Amino acid sequence: MAKKLKLKKKFKIIGIIIILLIIGSIIGVKQYKIYKYHQTYEYKLMEHGYTKDETSLLINTFNDTSKLDELLNQNIDKTLLNLINEKYFILNNLDRYEAYLKKNPKLSLDNVVTLVNVNRDNNYYENVVATDTSKDILMLVNKYNHLNEDYTPEDLVIISQNYSWGDLGSQKTRKIVYDAFQNMWNAANSEASIYLMVSSSYRDYKSQEIVYNNYKSLKGEKYADSIAARPGYSEHQTGLSLDIFTKTSSNKNTFKDSDAYTWLINNSYKYGFILRYPEDKVNITGYEAESWHYRYVGIDIATFIHDNNITFDEYYAYYINK
Ligand code: DAL
Ligand code: ZN
């Protein structure tokens, strides 16, 4: 009897020990989890004062934790959060945004992002690179991205004299552009009785040199740079750009007031063309407005650029090059 009781007591003690062990390990695991959580950037950033949303934004933005460590060693950086939230924010450009903002503290953050994305933190023709011609109809040629002297598109076709001025064979463009232009010509003609005419199309390096040097010798470098590209830097060398007027409106000073211009800015994107140098984007494109210069990028991208009111330079930085 006494033996049985002893055994019962023993089991009881063992039972209690097991229960205590279970409780102990539950508490231990919990404590360990808390300890582990305290090591995370989520915890540390929130402890530092960032909100839950801001913390998620920072963690999702920076794979490189050294930036998160840096943030933990300084005051809350609202400017950084606002920069990251900018629509066209590019992580690789972050240091440049911050440097440009420091130099231009009055600029809005969306301007800082836009301008740095299109390289305006460098002077024109500084830090230039050879453009990536493998991008084909989406290659970017501007004051920072150039073509080699010998770059010539392979599929140039002659533009009919029905649609262009000059001797036969003097106006050429890429086949894909010519097809799109003819579609646009037909639409302009049938919808609005507009007779489009091309005044300039593909220009090789040497022709561009002549164009640019003419302006330069007539009115100086600053003026030449505001309206013409230096050789190697003209979109005309891509064979993707057309200067478009009409039989009745062929004056660069007045074309913007013509019905044809209104029709083109409202419709050219439907055929794959964008107005490349708009009036309100001079600081981005680096050229005075050219109501006659249209660049082929294909219908989808032309539509996007038109609908979002951005330049090709901005589009390229964010959607192609990023
Ligand atoms: N006029 C344009 C910018 C060019 O020369 O290519
Ligand atoms: Zn042009």
Side-chain angles (χ1 to χ4, degrees):
M1 209 40 186
K3 212 176 173 190
K4 232 179 177 184
L5 249 158
K6 228 177 169 183
L7 213 68
K8 225 175 166 185
K9 208 175 169 189
K10 211 174 175 185
F11 276 131
K12 215 173 168 183
I13 291 169
I14 292 172
I16 291 170
I17 290 173
I18 291 173
I19 290 170
L20 284 177
L21 277 175
I22 292 172
I23 294 174
S25 49
I26 289 173
I27 294 172
V29 167
K30 214 169 167 189
Q31 284 303 319
Y32 181 70
K33 276 189 179 160
I34 292 172
Y35 165 78
K36 272 303 213 194
Y37 180 62
H38 285 185
Q39 313 300 309
T40 63
Y41 284 103
E42 181 179 316
Y43 175 80
K44 288 186 194 166
L45 287 164
M46 281 167 66
E47 273 294 289
H48 199 65
Y50 288 103
T51 66
K52 200 166 179 6
D53 286 349
E54 290 167 348
T55 299
S56 305
L57 183 70
L58 292 170
I59 290 173
N60 291 334
T61 304
F62 299 111
N63 287 330
D64 171 11
T65 52
S66 63
K67 180 69 189 178
L68 299 177
D69 288 328
E70 206 180 284
L71 290 176
L72 290 170
N73 283 321
Q74 61 193 42
N75 292 337
I76 297 230
D77 191 344
K78 285 280 175 205
T79 307
L80 173 69
L81 294 165
N82 291 335
L83 272 172
I84 297 172
N85 277 324
E86 278 301 323
K87 185 171 176 191
Y88 295 111
F89 171 83
I90 297 173
L91 181 57
N92 269 344
N93 288 348
L94 179 57
D95 291 346
R96 287 167 61 199
Y97 297 144
E98 289 177 338
Y100 197 61
L101 186 60
K102 216 171 186 180
K103 267 194 190 162
N104 304 278
K106 288 198 175 128
L107 272 186
S108 65
L109 293 188
D110 71 322
N111 265 329
V112 168
V113 168
T114 297
L115 292 172
V116 169
N117 284 357
V118 301
N119 282 316
R120 290 295 290 111
D121 53 338
N122 294 302
N123 290 326
Y124 293 131
Y125 297 114
E126 266 178 30
N127 282 336
V128 299
V129 293
T131 199
D132 179 0
T133 53
S134 73
K135 297 280 190 275
D136 196 32
I137 63 162
L138 297 179
M139 73 177 81
L140 176 67
V141 176
N142 62 14
K143 290 182 176 182
Y144 304 98
N145 295 268
H146 66 88
L147 290 165
N148 294 333
E149 185 165 355
D150 57 2
Y151 177 82
T152 315
E154 281 164 13
D155 55 353
L156 290 174
V157 293
I158 291 172
I159 303 176
S160 158
Q161 284 173 305
N162 289 334
Y163 315 125
S164 66
W165 286 295
D167 297 335
L168 181 62
S170 63
Q171 300 285 4
K172 291 183 196 150
T173 191
R174 286 189 57 180
K175 169 90 172 69
I176 193 170
V177 181
Y178 193 38
D179 292 344
F181 173 75
Q182 284 173 299
N183 288 339
M184 184 163 79
W185 192 98
N186 287 328
N189 198 251
S190 60
E191 282 171 23
S193 303
I194 288 165
Y195 197 111
L196 298 177
M197 288 291 283
V198 170
S199 72
S200 188
S201 44
Y202 166 68
R203 294 200 291 259
D204 64 14
Y205 184 98
K206 286 268 174 265
S207 316
Q208 187 66 27
E209 195 165 39
I210 293 166
V211 169
Y212 178 79
N213 285 341
N214 265 344
Y215 285 123
K216 193 173 160 184
S217 54
L218 278 172
K219 293 199 174 182
E221 186 174 82
K222 196 161 179 245
Y223 177 78
D225 278 334
S226 73
I227 60 162
R230 295 184 188 175
Y233 293 82
S234 176
E235 254 192 359
H236 283 278
Q237 197 185 336
T238 66
L240 296 165
S241 292
L242 297 173
D243 290 348
I244 305 174
F245 294 90
T246 69
K247 276 204 162 161
T248 47
S249 282
S250 59
N251 181 324
K252 284 187 171 176
N253 295 322
T254 56
F255 186 63
K256 65 178 187 308
D257 304 318
S258 68
D259 292 345
Y261 171 67
T262 305
W263 189 90
L264 282 167
I265 52 166
N266 289 325
N267 295 282
S268 60
Y269 71 91
K270 298 172 192 163
Y271 304 90
F273 291 94
I274 53 163
L275 178 73
R276 183 65 177 89
Y277 306 118
E279 205 160 16
D280 55 346
K281 308 282 185 185
V282 174
N283 196 24
I284 295 174
T285 64
Y287 294 106
E288 289 302 317
E290 293 195 357
S291 53
W292 55 89
H293 181 113
Y294 295 85
R295 157 73 192 261
Y296 182 79
V297 290
I299 293 171
D300 290 349
I301 293 173
T303 304
F304 185 92
I305 286 175
H306 173 268
D307 293 352
N308 288 280
N309 188 30
I310 56 175
T311 58
F312 185 57
D313 313 87
E314 293 161 272
Y315 182 86
Y316 189 90
Y318 192 76
Y319 293 103
I320 301 180
N321 207 32
K322 195 169 69 159

